[in-house]
Amino acid sequence: MELLEEHRCFEGRQQRWRHDSTTLNCTMTFSIFLPPTADNVKPPVLYWLSGLTCNDENFTTKAGAQRVAAELGIALVMPDTSPRGDDVADDAGYDLGKGAGFYLNATQEPWASHYRMYDYIREELPTLIKAQFAVSDRAAISGHSMGGHGALILALKNPGTFTSVSAFAPIVNPTQVPWGQKAFSNYLGNDESTWQEWDSCALMQASQSQDAIPTLIDQGDADQFLANQLQPAVLAEVARLKSWPLTLRIQEGHDHSYYFIASWIEDHLRFHAEHLFAK
Ligand SMILES: N[C@@H](CCC(=O)N[C@@H](CSC=O)C(=O)NCC(=O)O)C(=O)O
């Protein structure tokens, strides 16, 4: 691992690291915020998954999460959104290829050799974080848009791994909307039955009641992608039918930007803290 940057931030440390990923078969960069802690106290971790076109720095520099994470004693881990490098397949569109990994494991060429973001976030990155940093085993997950989809599917597919999940303007039903259909047909192929295991609505529909975890979704009503890409009400309806503890909040006047995330991230951190620190 190579330390690329380090900054004091409130009473904690904001760092950026580069490492070789065996899962993704390329060099990756991630950011981490380490809060101040008393000696021998290991903070829990909130994994943040960003959206289309992002890398690890969008959330780090725009969301303003560090002040409250420092106060609460939560470490923040911000991975990149896709594999990177000259030999990694890409597409001219902003919604496919680099910056658009969709947190799944691709099965189709030319994507399959690198695009395994699901395995990277589920296994390789947490293993590395726990080995290299003094953090506890307790973890929660959150994300925005494509990253909200990622957070939801990671939580739904891995019962017991996360204490809680939250999302800002997530793509909840990717099998039914243009962003998801473009990504899934390329990464997974045209057999739509293989898409279901990457769709949070389908996963929640098939979930067991004992696996439900507290879930918070914020959605701006002035979001330009709300009607044709996001539709969080579809997941809220599945949650209602399954008695899954999901709270969907519609935030008046907010769009899809990081100004929206910055406005509500404190609520999400306090929501996760309640569950990360529960006895
Ligand atoms: N360029 C695109 C829209 C790209 C965009 O809005 N990206 C969002 C995430 S969208 C869903 O995953 C984002 O977070 N951008 C980075 C930022 O710092 O704002 C278009 O013009 O339509």
Side-chain angles (χ1 to χ4, degrees):
M1 292 229 302
E2 180 188 358
L3 182 62
L4 301 176
E5 279 185 44
E6 181 169 36
H7 309 277
R8 177 165 176 168
C9 188
F10 297 96
E11 297 298 312
R13 288 172 294 147
Q14 180 70 48
Q15 299 175 341
R16 192 166 196 228
W17 291 87
R18 180 188 290 147
H19 74 111
D20 290 330
S21 165
T22 51
T23 305
L24 300 173
N25 195 19
C26 65
T27 299
M28 291 295 284
T29 303
F30 69 87
S31 288
I32 185 167
F33 174 72
L34 296 162
T37 53
D39 286 351
N40 299 324
V41 173
K42 293 182 172 184
V45 180
L46 176 67
Y47 288 89
W48 171 267
L49 305 184
S50 286
L52 294 165
T53 73
C54 292
N55 64 14
D56 57 298
E57 290 196 297
N58 296 70
F59 183 80
T60 301
T61 58
K62 291 184 173 180
Q66 292 92 341
R67 178 182 61 79
V68 177
E71 177 204 316
L72 297 170
I74 297 175
L76 306 172
V77 174
M78 284 69 62
D80 204 343
T81 56
S82 75
R84 300 284 179 178
D86 292 343
D87 62 340
V88 171
D90 201 6
D91 183 85
Y94 73 91
D95 50 3
L96 184 68
K98 293 179 195 174
F102 269 83
Y103 304 101
L104 50 69
N105 293 333
T107 56
Q108 305 298 301
E109 294 304 339
W111 313 104
S113 51
H114 295 283
Y115 283 77
R116 303 187 62 81
M117 287 299 290
Y118 176 74
D119 282 353
Y120 176 70
I121 303 293
R122 175 179 180 272
E123 194 64 49
E124 183 176 2
L125 186 62
T127 301
L128 181 142
I129 295 295
K130 283 183 253 182
Q132 299 288 337
F133 302 94
V135 296
S136 83
D137 284 335
R138 288 181 75 85
I141 192 161
S142 185
H144 172 225
S145 196
M146 176 185 74
H149 142 78
L152 289 165
I153 63 165
L154 262 294
L156 284 157
K157 285 166 78 71
N158 296 282
T161 301
F162 303 105
T163 58
S164 41
V165 58
S166 75
F168 292 80
I171 306 168
V172 300
N173 205 185
T175 59
Q176 303 302 315
V177 302
W179 274 340
Q181 289 170 339
K182 178 176 177 181
F184 287 13
S185 58
N186 279 276
Y187 295 142
L188 303 171
N190 291 324
D191 176 0
E192 296 186 19
S193 67
T194 67
W195 299 5
Q196 300 303 316
E197 65 162 314
W198 307 105
D199 183 298
S200 60
C201 290
L203 289 165
M204 189 179 286
Q205 186 64 52
S207 66
Q208 304 294 312
S209 59
Q210 70 269 18
D211 294 334
I213 56 170
T215 303
L216 173 64
I217 294 179
D218 271 322
Q219 173 64 60
D221 70 0
D223 186 324
Q224 62 271 39
F225 301 116
L226 173 55
N228 68 330
Q229 305 280 13
L230 306 174
Q231 303 171 2
V234 178
L235 186 65
E237 176 59 9
V238 179
R240 189 185 69 76
L241 294 170
K242 298 285 291 187
S243 301
W244 182 283
L246 183 152
T247 301
L248 169 61
R249 309 190 307 187
I250 303 300
Q251 303 294 3
E252 186 185 344
H254 280 283
D255 60 21
H256 200 64
S257 71
Y258 265 85
Y259 294 106
F260 166 51
I261 297 169
S263 301
W264 297 102
I265 191 66
E266 178 167 353
D267 277 18
H268 285 237
L269 290 165
R270 294 193 187 285
F271 162 75
H272 288 297
E274 200 180 307
H275 304 291
L276 285 165
F277 293 111
K279 295 285 181 224

